[in-house]
Structure formats: structure tokens, C-alpha cells
Amino acid sequence: MSATLFGLAGAALVGIGLFGLIVHPTALRKLLAFNLVGAGVFLVFGVVARRAAAAGLAGDPVPQAIVITGIVVAFAATALAATLLARLSGPEEEP
Amino acid sequence: MMVSLLPVWAVLTPVLGLCALLLCERWIRPERVAAPFVGLSLYLSLSMTYQVMTSQAPLVYALGGWLPPLGLTLRADGVGVFLMTLTALVMTGVAVCAWTPSEGASSRGRFSFWALLLALWSALNLAFTAQDLFNFFVALEMLSFAAVALVALDGTRGALVAALRYLLFALAGSILYLLGVGLIYGRYAVLDLAGLREIAQPDTVTLAALALMTVGLMAKTALFPLHLWLPPAHAGAPAPASAMLSALVVKAPFLIILRLWVDLLPLPAAAPQQIMAGLGAAAILVCSVIALRQQRLKLMIAYSTLAQVGYLFLMFPLMPGPAPWQDIGWTGGLLQLASHGFAKAAMFLAAGLIYEALGHDRVAELGGLARRQPVTLAAFAIAGLSLMGLPPSGGFIAKLLLLTAAVEAGAWWIAAVILAGGILAAFYVFRALGHALADGDPPVAPVALYRQGAVLALALCALAIGFVPLRPFALLAIGRPLEALEALP
């Protein structure tokens, strides 16, 4: 039951994020929308890991390992995009 | 299949070079540190190709002795070593061409360029040898981060805007791909391609997951209509960086799409393949016409990349057989990939040298170039020959094979698009050549001859593929169909 609920929540987050990613014209909002999609996808992975509990395991470690990598990648990407945004919004300077 | 550590070393060697660069940054010039690692990686790729060709079997290594489904394997099959050789030759050409005397770009920029070149190489080798969906994701992320940084290398406002846009497209692509991986894992609890091949069914979940992954990868390959990021990014980067981006970086996501539809879920030709080919055809026609209208040489070449990427997607409905790697559409598509890689690297490097010599790259003001820089212009013309698909060039063989496959499959519209695309390419290449051959006496800055020679060598590689039209058939079929690794031999 809870797995279904979390799955639906993940799907909703992905949907909202994708909508924002496509509709919003500014880069900062697109970046936030990307993070929203990311959160939804990670939640879906959590649900997938949890479903192994039905087979008697505490949880499937493989999706958890993937989520950790995904979070690290999303964090690094957000940092890179934020740096680019900060450089662009700052005063014009010679490189 | 042969157990070999070579695929691991092919991925690791550029990373070791990166570490050496970071350690020696203060004391030794970056190109001197990077050069031995470039040479070593080139040697590794060539020796892997030699081993695969002599033994007719893929090189496999299971990392840490763990077999799939838990472990990760690296597997260099015929297609893998073919693309690794392409990568190695293009990278070496770029490295020679980027080898500048001490003056010029700031030392920090030079350091970043060489570091990113090695990072890109490692990511490409991983993408070409990886065998499971998760490893693909890691390779794609390594690739995107290095590529975005290369675009932003100049630090000008335009370059930063282009890099940011590229990054957002790449991120949207990655997250869609990751969602697809999640759905596949939820359905099958396997991520290894060979394992998936045995159990995958064309049901709703699998097809939805594949659609998500394919669209995500299309954004990274810049297939029309997800191409908007590519022209400013590739035209704004420094020329050696654009050469790597256009020739190699957009090809890795394409190879993964190919592996998804050939290795993971081999379907008889149906709607998905037709849609991909339709988008490819639209890319060829629309982007070629836009390329015709460009005033700047680098932008023209960037739009030409979009059109040539479109050709790659035409191959999907042209592999109808139960064993697609024995169809001529398969060989034609992969030869198109390689010949475009060589030709486009040569073209971007030539455009860079032209920019250095003249101080601009406006197509209409190239007059007099032919007399002042004959070697560069010859390289540009030979590369253009391959893009147009005129004999004797790699592009000719590739397009001929695709055309034959299209006629055999009865797909008349694909045949028409291939022919129209060749004519449009001829228009934009000859437009640039015509201006360059015109009279004129512009002030020309000297460019070292070895750098022009490197560009010419890359263009000749594109030409050389046309002289061995039948060799790749056998090479590209090695290691297919994909077999699960049962035990460590």
C-alpha cells in the first residue's frame, strides 16, 4: 500500500518537474524543475527497492546504490549549473 | 570470448593522465604531461582492435571477479573497438593540432583543455565498452560534465550561455534515462544487457522505459527537434574542443540507443524505428537548409553535424533481419558514424586554423585562402567530400550502403532523403570552398605546418574508409549476438 502511494508521489513529482522544465523560460527555474524531476525519479527507485521486501528481504541494495550515484550526479550538476548562472548574472568581467 | 584487462586499462589510462596533470600542474607544461598518456591510450586502442580482429572474439573483463547480474563487465566487441579506434585517432589528431607554442591561450585554459581531453577520452572508452544500463549512465554523466566544461572553456558570455543551455538539455536527458533504468530494474531486476536480452518482453512497462531512455539520449545526441543546444555550443567552443564534441561526444549516446534497440529488445521493424528514422530524415532536410544560410564557418559546420547525425537514425528501419548486424544497414550506419567522425573533426580543426590565420571565419570573406593555406583548405575539401558522399570516401560507402538497404527494404522516402541530403551538403560545402578559392589577398598569420598536417591526416582517414569497403562487415559483427557471461573462463 505505502509502496503504491510513494510510487504515485514519485510519478507526480516527475510530472510537475517535467512541466516546469519545459514551460519555464529562465534557467534557474529550469534547474529547480530538474531537481524536482530528480527527486521523483529517486523516489521511484526507492519504491523499486522496497518491493524486494515482499520477497522477504529488508530491501534491494542495487536500486539504493544507483540512487546514491544519481544523487551525487544531480548534486554535482546543480552545482555546475549554479556556478555558470552565478558567472552569468555577475558583472561583465574579463576571463 | 577472451578475458583481458585491456578494456579496463583503456578506461583507466586517461584517468591516470588526469591525475598526473593535477600533480604536475605547477612544474611541467600540461601538454608535455598529457602527451605520453595520449600515446599510450592510442596504443591500447589499436592493440585491442588487433586482438579482436585476430581472435574474432570480444575482449571481456568482469570487474573484481563479480559476474552479472551483481557485477559489472567491460566488453570490447567489434563495434566497441571500431569506435575506440575512431576515438583514439581523432583524439591524437586533435592533440597534435592543439599542441601550441608557449604563447597564446592562458596557461590555466591550456591546463583545463588537456585535462578535459583526457576525461572525455576515458568517458568515451567506458561508454563503448560498458555492458549494463547503469554503467552507461555513469559514462554519459562523465561525458556530459567534461563536454559542458569544454564548451565553457573560453569564458566569454556567449560561451557560458551556450554551456548552460547544453547542460540543461543534457540534464533533462540524463534524468529521463535514469527514470527508464528505474522502470526496467523494477520490471526485471536485471541491468545487464545480455541478461535483459533473454527475458525482456515488449510489454507496456518495457516500451515506456525504452521510450523514456531513447528520448533522453536523443536530447544528448541532438537529434532534431531536440537539437537547439548544439549549434551555439559547438560553434562557441575553441576549435579543437568543437572537433571532439562534434566528432565523438554526440556519437556515444547514439551508440547506446543502438544497443538498446538491437541488444536489449530486438524488435521487428515497427513504429519506434519508423519514428526515429522520420526524425532523422527531418534533421537531414531542415538542418542542411539552415546550414546553407549560415554566415560563419563554424556555425555552418555545427548545423552540418546535426544533419549528419540524422543519417545515423535512418539505419533503424533498415535492419529488418533477425540478426541486424548482418544487414547492410548496420554496417552503413556505423561507417557513416566513423566517416562523419573523421570528416567533422578535420573540418572543425580546419575552421580553427582558418580563424587563426585570418582572424575571422565569415564565409563570404574567405577569398585568397587557397593560395595562402593550401594544406588546410585541401583537408577541408576532402572532409567535405566525405560529408557529401562523393566517391572515393567513407561517406560515399556509408551512404551507398544505406541507400541500397533503403531500396531493398522498399523505403523509398529514406532513399530520397539520403540523396537530397547529399545534394544539400554539396551546396553548403561548395559555397564555403567557392569563397575560399576566390581571388583575394588577406593578411594571413602563419600557422605551423605540422598542425595543418594533422588536420589533413584526419581528413585522409575519412577518405581511407572508402578504400576498404568490405573489411568492416566482419569486424562489426564480432561479438554478436550478445551472450551472457556464464562463468569466469
Side-chain angles (χ1 to χ4, degrees), chain B residues 382 392-394 458-469:
Chain B
I382 294 172
S393 66
L458 281 177
L460 288 176
C461 282
L463 197 68
I465 295 178
F467 288 100
V468 285

Side-chain angles (χ1 to χ4, degrees), chain B residues 129-444:
Chain B
T129 50
Q131 281 304 311
D132 65 290
L133 299 178
F134 180 61
N135 237 352
F136 284 151
F137 175 71
V138 173
L140 284 172
E141 292 315 306
M142 286 166 66
L143 201 62
S144 291
F145 285 149
V148 168
L150 272 176
V151 171
L153 205 58
D154 265 354
T156 59
R157 208 171 172 79
L160 291 181
V161 171
L164 186 60
R165 192 194 261 194
Y166 178 18
L167 182 60
L168 287 172
F169 266 89
L171 288 183
S174 328
I175 208 73
L176 288 180
Y177 177 82
L178 195 62
L179 183 58
V181 174
L183 293 181
I184 292 267
Y185 190 83
R187 173 79 176 75
Y188 300 108
V190 176
L191 289 175
D192 174 54
L193 276 184
L196 279 170
R197 183 188 176 83
E198 289 169 5
I199 52 177
Q201 303 291 327
D203 54 10
T204 316
V205 179
T206 315
L207 286 176
L210 278 181
L212 283 169
M213 294 159 91
T214 308
V215 171
L217 293 168
M218 276 176 184
K220 287 177 178 264
T221 318
L223 179 66
F224 179 87
L226 299 172
H227 66 284
L228 294 170
W229 59 267
L230 188 140
H234 285 195
S242 326
M244 292 188 279
L245 294 171
S246 245
L248 305 171
V249 171
V250 294
K251 306 295 167 52
F254 171 78
L255 183 77
I256 296 174
I257 297 180
L258 190 65
R259 284 202 197 269
L260 289 183
W261 291 99
V262 171
D263 287 341
L264 197 158
L265 190 66
L267 283 179
Q273 283 92 336
Q274 296 289 343
I275 294 173
M276 282 193 268
L279 291 176
I284 295 173
L285 298 177
V286 175
C287 297
S288 296
V289 171
I290 302 178
L292 265 175
R293 299 169 51 84
Q294 295 307 313
Q295 300 306 313
R296 285 186 47 219
L297 196 57
K298 280 182 86 178
L299 269 174
M300 186 202 91
I301 302 173
Y303 274 103
S304 148
T305 296
L306 293 173
Q308 299 288 324
V309 163
Y311 278 102
L312 299 178
F313 284 86
L314 293 182
M315 71 190 275
F316 286 101
L318 303 182
M319 306 181 292
W325 49 92
Q326 285 168 356
D327 289 325
I328 49 178
W330 168 267
T331 312
L334 287 168
L335 278 183
Q336 161 69 13
L337 198 161
S339 60
H340 171 253
F342 285 125
K344 197 44 65 78
M347 258 195 169
F348 259 123
L349 290 175
L353 295 185
I354 291 171
Y355 189 95
E356 266 181 50
L358 295 178
H360 71 80
D361 67 343
R362 291 182 290 276
V363 177
E365 298 169 33
L366 291 179
L369 193 73
R371 198 167 296 147
R372 295 304 187 84
Q373 269 198 333
V375 180
T376 308
L377 200 67
F380 187 89
I382 294 172
L385 207 65
S386 187
L387 288 189
M388 286 182 260
L390 285 186
S393 66
F396 167 69
I397 296 294
K399 279 157 199 164
L400 186 68
L401 288 172
L402 285 173
L403 195 62
T404 316
V407 172
E408 271 185 11
W412 58 268
W413 60 278
I414 293 183
V417 167
I418 293 174
L419 292 173
I423 295 171
L424 286 168
F427 272 122
Y428 60 71
V429 171
F430 278 126
R431 177 168 155 261
L433 277 180
H435 283 296
L437 288 169
D439 271 340
D441 197 15
V444 170

Side-chain angles (χ1 to χ4, degrees), chain A residues 14 18 21 27 30-31 34 37-38 41-42 44-45 48 51 60 62-63 65-66 69-70 73 76-78 80-81 84-85 87-93 95, chain B residues 69-70 134 137-138 141 144-145 148-149 152 154-158 160-161 163-164 167-168 171-172 174-176 178-179 181-183 185-187 189 191 212:
Chain A
V14 170
L18 271 183
L21 202 57
K30 275 189 196 290
L31 186 61
F34 158 74
V37 185
V41 172
F42 301 148
V44 169
F45 270 101
V48 167
R51 284 204 336 205
D60 189 347
V62 174
I66 296 178
T69 315
V73 166
T78 309
L80 180 57
L84 286 172
L85 269 170
R87 277 287 292 275
L88 279 171
S89 63
E92 192 83 30
E93 54 175 316
Chain B
L70 264 187
F134 180 61
F137 175 71
V138 173
E141 292 315 306
S144 291
F145 285 149
V148 168
D154 265 354
T156 59
R157 208 171 172 79
L160 291 181
V161 171
L164 186 60
L167 182 60
L168 287 172
L171 288 183
S174 328
I175 208 73
L176 288 180
L178 195 62
L179 183 58
V181 174
L183 293 181
Y185 190 83
R187 173 79 176 75
L191 289 175
L212 283 169

